[in-house]
Amino acid sequence: MKIFIDSANVEEIRKAADIGILDGVTTNPSLIMREGRDYKKTLKEICGITKGPVSAETISLDAKGMIKEGKEFVKIAKNIVIKVPMTQEGMKACSIFTKSGIKVNTTLVFSANQALLAAKAGSYLVSPFLGRLDDMGQTGMELIEEMRQIYDNYGFKAQILAASIRSPQHVKESALSGADVATIPFKVYEQMFKHALTDKGIKAFLDDWDKLQKELKKK
Ligand code: E4P
């Protein structure tokens, strides 16, 4: 499974790239709002950090507007993927982008039928929002399982991008359910590295090493 960082924070993205576990990045208007920076300049910086797909989200509600925005975004770098919402206009834009060789991430997907339509419109990535479904008392992970089955039944090439991830548990279950990609907030990415027994184990090894050095000095 590929690991993307779900962030518009350049420092976070750089840290993940330095660790060497970073396959791409997703951004959205809320994430860039948090940074308070110019969207295109930020996207350019992000594309300088990773060669993986970097999703840039359109804000127009009509296909014409999405296409205009998307054509500007793709000028930024070769690895830009255009994010469009799962609406009729979004899918119209998706079909047009796909036919002209521009990759699309269909976002705000909450049902298997929406995921089917997004794949048929030629989406490169399709983003089911796990956390937001869980927030409503539904089970987001079931959607990933349904999507996996539908895409495999018909050989759809669209990649399932597990989005709206809130915990390491979401990441693990996405991997078990066959998601192709998980886009992860940096805080969750950092949590994934941690285990109390790892810390305890390191401490025990270092304590024993120190003990040995002291004993050797006595000899
Ligand atoms: C990523 O592409 C999505 O925009 C993001 O994961 C949404 O996450 P949220 O539901 O936490 O806002």
Side-chain angles (χ1 to χ4, degrees), residues 24-130:
V25 174
T26 50
T27 66
N28 65 36
S30 306
L31 291 171
I32 192 69
M33 188 268 291
R34 261 182 237 163
E35 301 307 312
R37 298 186 62 204
D38 178 79
Y39 197 14
K40 283 185 192 158
K41 276 188 197 154
T42 308
L43 286 167
K44 197 173 171 62
E45 261 187 76
I46 296 171
C47 290
I49 300 170
T50 178
K51 287 191 168 46
V54 175
S55 292
E57 187 153 348
T58 55
I59 50 158
S60 298
L61 296 178
D62 61 316
K64 205 173 155 201
M66 290 177 205
I67 289 162
K68 192 166 172 251
E69 285 180 63
K71 282 187 174 165
E72 286 301 312
F73 282 141
V74 293
K75 285 183 195 160
I76 296 172
K78 278 186 189 157
N79 50 336
I80 287 280
V81 173
I82 307 303
K83 241 176 156 184
V84 299
M86 181 359 103
T87 58
Q88 291 188 14
E89 287 296 305
M91 292 307 91
K92 197 196 269 188
C94 177
S95 305
I96 294 168
F97 277 134
T98 302
K99 278 179 196 133
S100 65
I102 294 172
K103 289 176 177 163
V104 171
N105 173 357
T106 296
T107 190
L108 292 163
V109 168
F110 294 96
S111 77
N113 280 336
Q114 288 182 323
L116 171 62
L117 293 169
K120 287 194 72 73
S123 306
Y124 171 67
L125 297 164
V126 180
S127 298
F129 275 39
L130 305 180

Side-chain angles (χ1 to χ4, degrees), residues 1-2 144 148 159-162 173-182:
M1 186 175 72
K2 290 175 201 150
I144 303 238
R148 183 71 283 150
Q159 293 179 54
I160 302 170
L161 191 165
E173 288 176 10
S174 298
L176 288 170
S177 303
D180 299 288
V181 189

Side-chain angles (χ1 to χ4, degrees), residues 123-195:
S123 306
Y124 171 67
L125 297 164
V126 180
S127 298
F129 275 39
L130 305 180
R132 293 194 198 186
L133 279 169
D134 288 356
D135 291 344
M136 287 186 65
Q138 297 184 27
T139 309
M141 213 51 66
E142 282 173 8
L143 176 55
I144 303 238
E145 287 160 17
E146 290 170 351
M147 286 174 69
R148 183 71 283 150
Q149 198 176 330
I150 292 168
Y151 288 8
D152 289 349
N153 281 351
Y154 297 99
F156 286 121
K157 296 269 186 293
Q159 293 179 54
I160 302 170
L161 191 165
S164 188
I165 280 187
R166 305 275 161 81
S167 64
Q169 184 72 9
H170 267 157
V171 181
K172 182 183 88 173
E173 288 176 10
S174 298
L176 288 170
S177 303
D180 299 288
V181 189
T183 190
I184 306 171
F186 191 67
K187 190 178 148 226
V188 175
Y189 178 88
E190 287 189 306
Q191 286 169 342
M192 287 170 65
F193 287 88
K194 289 181 190 155
H195 197 288

